[in-house]
Amino acid sequence: MFFIIGITDGRRDLDFTQTVICDNCGKYGRYQVFMTYMALSLFFIPCFKWNRHYYVRMSCCNAIYELDPEIGKKIARGEQIDIRPEHLKRVSNGGWNIYAKRCRNCGYQTAEDFEY
């Protein structure tokens, strides 16, 4: 007799919607919450999950924030909750240079010496 055991990493998108004005790009965006984890699988069936982290991705500029684990657990349970800025820690700015000049209307990124 033999067992097929493996350890894999996984991602699960959580059902959550909240529309906000993005701190990164200044446009309207939507929080897209997902969870990453490690899983022990037995015969390709995940049996045990650990190392769970919750993240928020902005729909407008793809900036990624790490979400407070307690808030993430509540969202995973299906509770209705509002995510506030103090619950988020920026991980990636989604390719946007937050120190460059940017038009607030269209999001066009300009050189430092550009006047508009």
Side-chain angles (χ1 to χ4, degrees):
M1 181 189 290
F2 64 93
F3 293 102
I4 300 175
I5 297 175
I7 296 177
T8 60
D9 54 344
R11 174 183 163 154
R12 188 177 114 201
D13 293 330
L14 302 176
D15 185 25
F16 181 81
T17 56
Q18 181 178 339
T19 305
V20 294
I21 296 175
C22 181
D23 291 337
N24 193 38
C25 67
K27 296 181 181 178
Y28 276 106
R30 192 176 71 251
Y31 287 151
Q32 299 171 335
V33 180
F34 63 94
M35 174 182 68
T36 61
Y37 57 88
M38 296 293 292
L40 175 70
S41 300
L42 179 62
F43 292 108
F44 307 105
I45 300 172
C47 299
F48 179 69
K49 294 179 184 176
W50 73 93
N51 199 22
R52 296 176 190 199
H53 293 280
Y54 298 91
Y55 296 97
V56 172
R57 185 175 74 83
M58 294 300 300
S59 63
C60 52
C61 63
N62 292 326
I64 296 179
Y65 298 87
E66 187 169 5
L67 183 61
D68 180 16
E70 294 301 318
I71 302 299
K73 289 176 188 176
K74 290 179 181 180
I75 292 171
R77 287 192 299 257
E79 295 181 25
Q80 294 298 323
I81 193 163
D82 286 338
I83 297 175
R84 295 193 303 262
E86 58 264 16
H87 297 146
L88 301 172
K89 178 183 168 190
R90 187 185 311 233
V91 175
S92 166
N93 65 0
W96 287 75
N97 184 354
I98 60 174
Y99 301 108
K101 279 189 169 181
R102 183 180 350 270
C103 175
R104 288 192 160 269
N105 294 326
C106 67
Y108 180 75
Q109 188 172 333
T110 65
E112 190 63 34
D113 60 347
F114 185 78
E115 294 290 330
Y116 61 97

